[in-house]
Every structure is written in structure tokens, then in C-alpha cells.
Amino acid sequence: MCIIVPLIASFHPKSPFYKEWRWFVPANIAVAVLFLIWDAAFTRMGIWGFNDDYIMGIRLGNLPLEEVLFFICIPYACTYTYYVLSKYIKFSFAKVARQRTYLLVGVLLLLVIFNYERLYTAITFFSLSVFLVLLMRQKVNYIDRFYITYLIILVPFFLSNGLLTGSWLSSPIVWYDDNHNLEIRLFTIPVEDTMYALLMLLMNVSGYEWLKSKSVSKTISVNNVKLEEA
């Protein structure tokens, strides 16, 4: 349900995201592998787990197939949304976005210091902080576009993740050991999930942008060589 509309819309002449798959797919695979390793480790440690009543029972290791597909479907929907916004809307608050990023990093690191024993909190917030700092040092030019995309994605995120964490259900599909999080819930969603999603989606968009920029640079170089030879 999360991927079906973006997937169909990807073939629309005005938003042909299918032409971008050569950059999105390898980026998505790389990020998915990292998060699946993280996910499998946390599942093994009992930091979170899955309710067998709501899944098909097909597993890859200790992860349900549905969980594996999560790392494909959600990033696809987000990156498609980012692609459309980048295509049709001009953004001009990159400087403000960078300032807010450093503020976010400061808050996250403070929370890590005071909650280092809560593994979901500490690892998620620290990982996001490190990745944000790396992007700021590289002076990427898409952070403002990503933040707007993320804010838009939060609407379906709260619906889908709310359902997964127990909203409108007698029991949650995904459960958490609150000893490893801040025990702060946005409705039924642990607050850490918002930063976990931010990190996962930002890594997908960053990988997609990096591969695309490398491809464009290579094409320009080849064209320049051909012009010089001509």
C-alpha cells in the first residue's frame, strides 16, 4: 500500500522516476543491507520483535519477509517524493537548513550522553548525528529538499507506523522493549522511530544523489573529451 502509488506514478511522463532507478536501486540495496544487519541484531537482542499473528511466517534469518520489504518500499516512496519535489519546486533555505541540522545534532548528542544505556535511543541518535555531520562537511546542496520531503512523508509515516505499533489494533504488529528507548510515544510510535526513519531515508536519498552526481560528472567529462577531439 505504501509503494503502489509512487510505483505507478514513476511511469508518468511528467515524473519518470523509473529512469532514475539506475541510481536509486544500488543506493537502496546498500542501505537496506546495513539496516537489515542492524534490524536482525536488535531482533536477536529482544530490543524489538514481531507479532506472528499479523505476518505470513516467511522469514529471512530472524526477520519476517514483510520487514525486509519495508526497507525497499518506504525508501522508494520517499525518494520518489523527493524526486518530484526537486523537479518542480525551487528551494532557497539551504543555509537555514544547515543551521537547523547542527542544532539537531547537538540535541541528539545530548540525549545520547544521558541515555547511553538505552540502545535503541543511543545507537539511532548517534548514528544520525554522525551521518548529518558528514553531510554538512561535504556541503551537500539537497538537505533543504530532503527536510521538506521528510515532513511530507511524516503524514503517511504516522498512519503506517501507527498501525504497525498498535494503533487501531488489539496488539501491536511490532513491539519494543521500553528499557532500550526513551519511553516517549507519539501516539503508539516510539519517538526514536522518527529519527530511525530520518536516518534510513536520508541515507537512501544521499546515496541516490551521490551516484547520480558521479554519473553526470562522468558524462560531462566524456562529452568534453569528445569536443576536444573534434
Side-chain angles (χ1 to χ4, degrees), residues 146-215:
F146 172 78
Y147 283 148
I148 293 299
T149 303
Y150 178 69
L151 289 175
I152 293 172
I153 288 291
L154 280 178
V155 176
F157 167 83
F158 275 106
L159 292 174
S160 62
N161 218 47
L163 182 64
L164 291 173
T165 54
S167 298
W168 314 294
L169 297 174
S170 58
S171 59
I173 299 171
V174 182
W175 54 262
Y176 298 81
D177 179 354
D178 287 339
N179 291 314
H180 292 288
N181 60 56
L182 294 174
E183 298 184 69
I184 299 174
R185 300 269 176 157
L186 304 175
F187 303 105
T188 55
I189 303 169
V191 68
E192 287 83 358
D193 276 12
T194 60
M195 297 296 100
Y196 181 89
L198 195 156
L199 175 61
M200 177 185 67
L201 300 177
L202 181 55
M203 290 182 73
N204 272 275
V205 167
S206 296
Y208 157 75
E209 283 284 7
W210 182 77
L211 290 174
K212 186 175 181 179
S213 67
K214 291 294 182 183
S215 177

Side-chain angles (χ1 to χ4, degrees), residues 33-96:
V33 168
L34 290 174
F35 274 82
L36 286 169
I37 293 171
W38 178 355
D39 198 346
F42 270 29
T43 301
R44 187 173 297 109
M45 296 166 67
I47 293 174
W48 57 49
F50 309 94
N51 189 335
D52 289 337
D53 292 339
Y54 295 100
I55 58 180
M56 293 184 296
I58 302 171
R59 292 180 180 266
L60 298 178
N62 62 352
L63 298 179
L65 176 62
E66 293 88 342
E67 179 75 350
V68 176
L69 294 176
F70 171 86
F71 294 105
I72 299 171
C73 297
I74 303 303
Y76 189 94
C78 177
T79 309
Y80 170 78
T81 304
Y82 168 85
Y83 164 78
V84 172
L85 290 176
S86 300
K87 191 175 180 68
Y88 293 107
I89 300 177
K90 293 183 178 180
F91 297 88
S92 58
F93 56 95
K95 183 177 180 180
V96 174

Side-chain angles (χ1 to χ4, degrees), residues 15-30:
S15 57
F17 185 62
Y18 73 93
K19 295 180 179 179
E20 311 281 311
W21 286 1
R22 53 182 163 163
W23 302 307
F24 168 75
V25 171
N28 175 243
I29 291 173

